[in-house]
Amino acid sequence: MNEEHEVRTDGDMKLYRIGELAKAAGVSERTIDYYTKLGLITPEERSLKNYRLYNDETLNRLERINQMKQEKYSLEEIKQTLIKWSSVAGEDHVTDKLTSLEMHMQRLEREVNELQPLLGQLKPVQARKLLTGLLPQSAACIEALKYLLEHSSMM
């Protein structure tokens, strides 16, 4: 196997060279270099020949970055979001869920903002009907968020 694209295992952890990581993530090696330079991803360690080695979590992080890019987030916004959730939750799966939830909430906010002008054009009767239909879902969402907030303070 070519040293440049070697996949190493360190105990249970796979370590990827840049070429293997790029191929697995479906991005270019230049993208890996760029994201490393920006601090979006970080090598786990260096090989004896001073090559950067990345772990499986980097692959997961690249997936989150790609999802956020598809949602039209800038790389700086992505970096700040990842930093924020990493500092809140040490567990990667929790960070994944929080990032996904935040992306979903921001997507909903954008959709509501897009609907705002259309809602303003509705007749009062139409608007009342629409809001009446939305209120049960909104109430359930608010109750779920309240529950999460109340129980997270106990942890």
Side-chain angles (χ1 to χ4, degrees):
M1 186 179 266
N2 185 338
E3 169 65 30
E4 184 175 332
H5 294 285
E6 186 176 336
V7 178
R8 299 172 184 233
T9 54
D10 207 18
D12 290 337
M13 181 177 38
K14 271 188 179 178
L15 296 177
Y16 300 90
R17 295 281 313 282
I18 289 175
E20 286 294 321
L21 181 65
K23 185 176 179 182
V27 298
S28 70
E29 291 182 30
R30 288 184 64 192
T31 298
I32 300 294
D33 285 333
Y34 186 58
Y35 288 177
T36 301
K37 184 178 178 182
L38 290 177
L40 288 169
I41 60 174
T42 310
E44 180 69 21
E45 61 182 74
R46 293 220 176 235
S47 70
L48 294 175
K49 293 183 178 182
N50 207 28
Y51 292 119
R52 289 171 287 174
L53 301 173
Y54 298 86
N55 62 18
D56 284 326
E57 171 50 30
T58 305
L59 208 48
N60 295 334
R61 193 172 181 103
L62 285 168
E63 285 178 19
R64 287 194 301 268
I65 291 167
N66 284 333
Q67 285 175 327
M68 294 176 82
K69 279 181 64 181
Q70 288 176 0
E71 292 293 325
K72 308 292 186 225
Y73 287 87
S74 71
L75 290 177
E76 185 57 33
E77 290 171 322
I78 292 169
K79 182 178 181 179
Q80 293 309 315
T81 300
L82 293 174
I83 288 170
K84 178 173 62 174
W85 290 122
S86 293
S87 67
V88 170
E91 296 293 322
D92 294 329
H93 67 280
V94 175
T95 302
D96 288 347
K97 293 290 185 190
L98 290 172
T99 302
S100 176
L101 180 61
E102 180 166 305
M103 287 171 49
H104 185 68
M105 297 285 280
Q106 289 176 354
R107 186 171 42 249
L108 288 173
E109 185 179 345
R110 280 196 308 270
E111 289 174 7
V112 166
N113 288 335
E114 290 171 7
L115 280 174
Q116 204 87 25
L118 299 173
L119 294 175
Q121 296 172 4
L122 292 176
K123 295 177 184 174
V125 173
Q126 293 172 317
R128 229 183 339 269
K129 274 186 180 179
L130 183 65
L131 290 175
T132 303
L134 292 178
L135 289 178
Q137 292 87 350
S138 298
C141 184
I142 291 168
E143 287 300 314
L145 288 171
K146 278 176 46 181
Y147 177 82
L148 284 171
L149 289 172
E150 287 170 4
H151 287 81
S152 67
S153 64
M154 294 179 186
M155 295 178 180

